[in-house]
Amino acid sequence: MPRRDLRRADQLRPVRIERGYQRYPAGSALIEMGHTRVVCAATVEERVPFFLKGSGTGWVTAEYSMLPGAGSERTAREAMRGHQTGRTQEIQRLIGRALRTVVDMKALGERTIHIDCDVLQADGGTRTASITGAFVALVEACATFYTRRGIFPVRDYVAAVSVGISTEDIPLLDLCYEEDSSAMVDMNIVMTGSGALVEVQGTGEGRAFSRAEMNALMDLGGLGIRELIDAQKIALGDTLAWMPGREG
């Protein structure tokens, strides 16, 4: 059965990352993956949480939210409810963990980088799009205080993508909402540019899955992440794409 948008099973949705999307944050990016759109902003604060004061190391933290009109039905702002949902807390912790994996906290110094990911429109893969777009905003923010001959705080690229197994038992890359909601197996993969795994979130939604199927999904995710990292490099351009991993 063909995919709704006629993509191949191993094909990403159209990806566009626009760097410098917002005027005021130190770094920002709009990422579009199909109909999913997320604004990611990075703000630099010249202080750290109390548990890091005097340590000479920095911190990266993230917040995630969906606008009320991001989905097919309006959802109330969480501020109006008086609390965040478990899903929101899980996603923003994932974004923070993913980014911290590729940051040298000593090179960051006693600074905190706040990453805000706001979903403008949701059609599946909002958490993975947030990680991929947030990385671009993070690099842009770090460039504002980096001094040459020093160590650039971001050591490697990182991106994320969803994969899954359809009701026809076909492994699929980059699921839209319709595919995600009916998938037999659903998985999110976060990976660095060097190919190291940061996180794998996999669930048998409709049935259990085999080790061979898991390996096939991992290979598919790796393929997609390499393409997403290429998109990140294009967004960062000649001035910033070379900076992650730079020493001196």
Side-chain angles (χ1 to χ4, degrees):
M1 181 178 177
R3 304 180 77 169
R4 182 182 66 177
D5 51 11
L6 304 181
R7 283 184 291 147
R8 300 188 313 273
D10 63 351
Q11 187 176 3
L12 291 172
R13 290 174 289 181
V15 179
R16 186 174 79 92
I17 306 175
E18 179 182 347
R19 180 169 68 87
Y21 184 73
Q22 290 181 281
R23 178 177 183 178
Y24 297 110
S28 64
L30 169 68
I31 181 168
E32 301 180 3
M33 296 191 66
H35 295 299
T36 290
R37 298 188 179 100
V38 185
V39 175
C40 306
T43 304
V44 181
E45 189 176 32
E46 296 293 330
R47 60 180 181 176
V48 292
F50 72 92
F51 61 87
L52 288 174
K53 285 183 179 179
S55 67
T57 64
W59 188 246
V60 177
T61 186
E63 293 187 17
Y64 167 96
S65 68
M66 290 182 63
L67 296 186
S72 57
E73 296 182 3
R74 185 187 187 278
T75 55
R77 296 181 191 273
E78 293 185 343
M80 297 299 294
R81 300 175 186 167
H83 65 89
Q84 291 181 319
T85 65
R87 176 182 182 274
T88 295
Q89 294 179 41
E90 176 208 348
I91 292 174
Q92 57 193 31
R93 288 169 183 160
L94 170 64
I95 297 167
R97 284 196 304 272
L99 298 176
R100 288 193 295 270
T101 299
V102 295
V103 173
D104 184 329
M105 297 300 174
K106 284 289 186 183
L108 185 59
E110 289 201 22
R111 298 181 178 90
T112 299
I113 299 184
H114 296 273
I115 305 290
D116 293 293
C117 298
D118 291 288
V119 180
L120 305 181
Q121 188 165 278
D123 186 31
T126 60
R127 73 186 67 196
T128 54
S130 294
I131 292 168
T132 303
F135 175 83
V136 173
L138 172 68
V139 172
E140 188 176 48
C142 289
T144 63
F145 58 81
Y146 169 70
T147 56
R148 291 186 180 274
R149 294 184 297 278
I151 298 174
F152 191 70
V154 183
R155 300 175 298 187
D156 196 1
Y157 281 78
V158 67
V161 75
S162 65
V163 290
I165 297 177
S166 71
T167 53
E168 291 81 25
D169 293 330
I170 300 172
L172 300 176
L173 175 65
D174 189 18
L175 279 61
C176 67
Y177 176 76
E178 182 180 298
E179 293 169 332
D180 179 71
S181 61
S182 62
M184 294 291 100
V185 180
D186 181 24
M187 186 178 290
N188 297 305
I189 300 172
V190 187
M191 187 181 292
T192 68
S194 62
L197 290 167
V198 176
E199 191 140 349
V200 178
Q201 300 177 333
T203 306
E205 300 281 2
R207 63 169 175 80
F209 56 100
S210 68
R211 176 66 66 88
E213 288 175 320
M214 184 181 75
N215 291 341
L217 290 175
M218 295 292 292
D219 291 343
L220 198 57
L223 173 69
I225 287 171
R226 287 191 292 273
E227 293 182 21
L228 289 171
I229 289 175
D230 287 341
Q232 289 173 329
K233 291 177 179 178
I234 291 170
L236 289 168
D238 294 338
T239 56
L240 296 180
W242 55 274
M243 295 186 80
R246 178 178 174 82
E247 296 186 15

